[in-house]
Amino acid sequence: MNRIVAIHLLNDYSGSPKVLMQLLKTWTGKNIEAHLFTSGGSKGFLSDLPKVTRHLIWYRFSQNPLIRICNFFISQLFLMIKLLVFLRRDDTIYINTVLPFGAAVSGKLRGCRIIYHIHETSVKPEIFKNFLFGIARLTASKGVFVSDYLMKKEPLVKNQVLLYNVLEREFAEKADRSYTIRGKEPIVLMICSLKSYKGVDEFVKLAEINRTYIFKLVLNASQQEIDAYFKGKILPDHLKLYPTQIDTHSFYREASIIVNLSRPDEWVETFGLTILEGMRYRLPAIVPPVGGITELVNENKNGFLINSADVYELSGKIHYLMCNEDVYKSFSESAYQKSLEFSEAYFEETCVRMLSI
């Protein structure tokens, strides 16, 4: 097997770099030479991976949209130049998300095989999305998709692979070991990025109208960013906010229900890794009614499909689960059984096979 050169723009603790981390661990475990090009300056899932040669690329995230887009295109120019020097014709380029288009251009110029791993569909603005997906369709040899929904919505080439996100074996084993019957304190949990389209404000509203439950919101953001977002807002005492967490096991272990409140008209969830993690802890789930996330949640069996705009329907379903012990136990067991379908064994077999087909 020749070298695999993986590209990911922003190294943090979100879902897409976590999936790439799993891929790299699998490939290096099979003695495949792996190189990783990603941003420096921050810790994330792609930091300090054993057996992976890491190459830093320049990128600075900015809250200012104009500065952010300028930084993005500058970073892709630098990446393209760096890869033109580094790449060999027999390399396989593995581009994680549609963002690092500079890698696709370099790979195409050097005659490399290019695999795109597509995690998203809600790229804004539309002209930017069309540009990124256009580059992908022109350069990709193969497309890998995190859900059946996404594969049908954003087809790239004829050679396409469905590779569901899965739970790491270590995570699954720790969840099974540390799971305990929940105590009397009812907790609603959401883990997401600090973005309005992720349903952060809806979660706050939900907490305001349900004062008998604890609401915990774990955000992929610093405490400073959280303070700035909620500046001037009065939050209920039973709503607990937490900055980026490397280890989320304690949150899942204490929770009663896991939710995803992304706004379907602004951000379509293409999978939902935190929902899957919660299911391993036997948490019933409430998620949007569209997108790949619906491939995890079966209506009225292990959770509910509800638009986050309808906070009163959300509130009613939470109350229904919290107040009906037999229903809760049934949903809880169904959630766990569903999580077993997304095993690391399936992931490893598929991610090695897709390099050769």
Side-chain angles (χ1 to χ4, degrees), residues 23 58 68-70 105 125 137 141 155 205 209 238 240 253 276-277 302 316:
L23 287 164
W58 182 88
R68 185 163 67 245
I69 197 70
C70 288
V105 174
R137 292 186 177 99
S141 309
K205 178 67 175 177
I209 62 177
H238 60 288
K240 313 296 182 183
R253 188 167 53 246
L276 180 59
E277 289 176 343
N302 59 13

Side-chain angles (χ1 to χ4, degrees), residues 98 104 108 116 129-141 145 150 152-157 160:
V98 292
K108 193 71 172 178
Y116 260 91
K129 174 182 176 176
N130 291 338
F131 170 77
L132 292 175
F133 275 91
I135 295 289
R137 292 186 177 99
L138 285 171
T139 59
S141 309
F145 296 81
L150 186 57
K152 291 173 180 174
K153 183 169 179 57
E154 303 290 355
L156 293 184
V157 289
Q160 301 194 145

Side-chain angles (χ1 to χ4, degrees), residues 105-117:
V105 174
S106 293
K108 193 71 172 178
L109 291 173
R110 294 304 305 268
C112 300
R113 183 186 187 208
I114 299 170
I115 302 176
Y116 260 91
H117 197 137

Side-chain angles (χ1 to χ4, degrees), residues 312-330:
Y312 291 100
E313 185 178 358
L314 288 167
S315 179
K317 294 302 185 185
I318 290 171
H319 187 69
Y320 173 70
L321 288 169
M322 295 290 198
C323 297
N324 291 275
E325 185 176 352
D326 290 341
V327 172
Y328 183 89
K329 286 181 179 178
S330 174

Side-chain angles (χ1 to χ4, degrees), residues 39 47 50 61 74 86 88 90 103 118 154 159 209 260 277 324:
S39 62
S47 304
F61 180 82
I74 291 170
F86 177 80
R88 302 196 297 241
D90 59 0
I118 306 299
E154 303 290 355
N159 191 1
I209 62 177
N260 179 302
E277 289 176 343
N324 291 275

Side-chain angles (χ1 to χ4, degrees), residues 276-308:
L276 180 59
E277 289 176 343
M279 285 180 163
R280 191 70 184 204
Y281 271 95
R282 295 171 167 82
L283 302 181
I286 300 178
V287 303
V290 298
I293 202 166
T294 64
E295 294 165 45
L296 289 173
V297 179
N298 302 115
E299 177 71 16
N300 209 33
K301 186 174 181 182
N302 59 13
F304 296 106
L305 308 176
I306 304 173
N307 192 316
S308 60

Side-chain angles (χ1 to χ4, degrees), residues 36-300:
L36 169 66
F37 285 75
T38 191
S39 62
S42 63
K43 296 287 285 184
F45 286 119
L46 299 174
S47 304
D48 307 318
L49 293 178
K51 300 183 183 179
V52 176
T53 304
R54 192 162 176 250
H55 308 262
L56 296 183
I57 57 177
W58 182 88
Y59 179 67
R60 294 288 182 274
F61 180 82
S62 173
Q63 294 294 341
N64 183 300
L66 185 59
I67 296 175
R68 185 163 67 245
I69 197 70
C70 288
N71 286 352
F72 171 73
F73 279 100
I74 291 170
S75 76
Q76 293 312 292
L77 177 61
F78 288 162
L79 175 62
M80 185 170 60
I81 294 169
K82 196 167 189 175
L83 285 174
L84 281 171
V85 176
F86 177 80
L87 291 175
R88 302 196 297 241
R89 185 179 179 84
D90 59 0
D91 288 336
T92 294
I93 315 301
Y94 200 90
I95 302 177
N96 199 44
T97 80
V98 292
L99 290 172
F101 74 90
V105 174
S106 293
K108 193 71 172 178
L109 291 173
R110 294 304 305 268
C112 300
R113 183 186 187 208
I114 299 170
I115 302 176
Y116 260 91
H117 197 137
I118 306 299
H119 296 259
E120 64 279 281
T121 182
S122 301
V123 179
K124 301 288 178 65
E126 191 71 20
I127 190 173
F128 186 49
K129 174 182 176 176
N130 291 338
F131 170 77
L132 292 175
F133 275 91
I135 295 289
R137 292 186 177 99
L138 285 171
T139 59
S141 309
K142 176 182 292 185
V144 179
F145 296 81
V146 300
S147 65
D148 185 58
Y149 163 84
L150 186 57
M151 186 163 63
K152 291 173 180 174
K153 183 169 179 57
E154 303 290 355
L156 293 184
V157 289
K158 289 183 179 180
N159 191 1
Q160 301 194 145
V161 176
L162 173 60
L163 179 63
Y164 281 119
N165 296 343
V166 299
L167 299 175
E168 289 182 89
R169 186 173 290 110
E170 182 183 357
F171 182 98
E173 291 175 351
K174 185 173 181 179
D176 292 347
R177 286 196 310 270
S178 61
Y179 170 77
T180 56
I181 300 299
R182 282 163 190 81
K184 292 183 178 180
E185 187 175 55
I187 299 173
V188 180
L189 173 67
M190 187 164 83
I191 303 177
C192 66
S193 301
L194 182 54
K195 307 290 185 182
S196 60
Y197 57 72
K198 284 288 190 175
V200 172
D201 299 327
E202 285 81 354
F203 192 79
V204 173
K205 178 67 175 177
L206 205 54
E208 290 172 346
I209 62 177
N210 288 277
R211 297 187 173 273
T212 56
Y213 309 131
I214 302 296
F215 285 77
K216 292 189 176 182
L217 180 57
V218 181
L219 296 159
N220 185 22
S222 66
Q223 188 60 55
Q224 183 179 9
E225 290 169 326
I226 294 172
D227 292 341
Y229 185 92
F230 290 103
K231 185 178 180 180
K233 298 179 182 178
I234 300 174
L235 302 176
D237 292 339
H238 60 288
L239 170 62
K240 313 296 182 183
L241 304 178
Y242 301 88
T244 301
Q245 302 290 310
I246 298 174
D247 186 344
T248 53
H249 282 277
S250 62
F251 293 94
Y252 292 123
R253 188 167 53 246
E254 296 170 353
S256 308
I257 296 173
I258 181 86
V259 302
N260 179 302
L261 303 183
S262 293
R263 300 170 181 172
D265 57 335
E266 295 182 45
W267 181 268
V268 177
E269 292 291 347
T270 52
F271 186 72
L273 190 56
T274 60
I275 294 299
L276 180 59
E277 289 176 343
M279 285 180 163
R280 191 70 184 204
Y281 271 95
R282 295 171 167 82
L283 302 181
I286 300 178
V287 303
V290 298
I293 202 166
T294 64
E295 294 165 45
L296 289 173
V297 179
N298 302 115
E299 177 71 16
N300 209 33

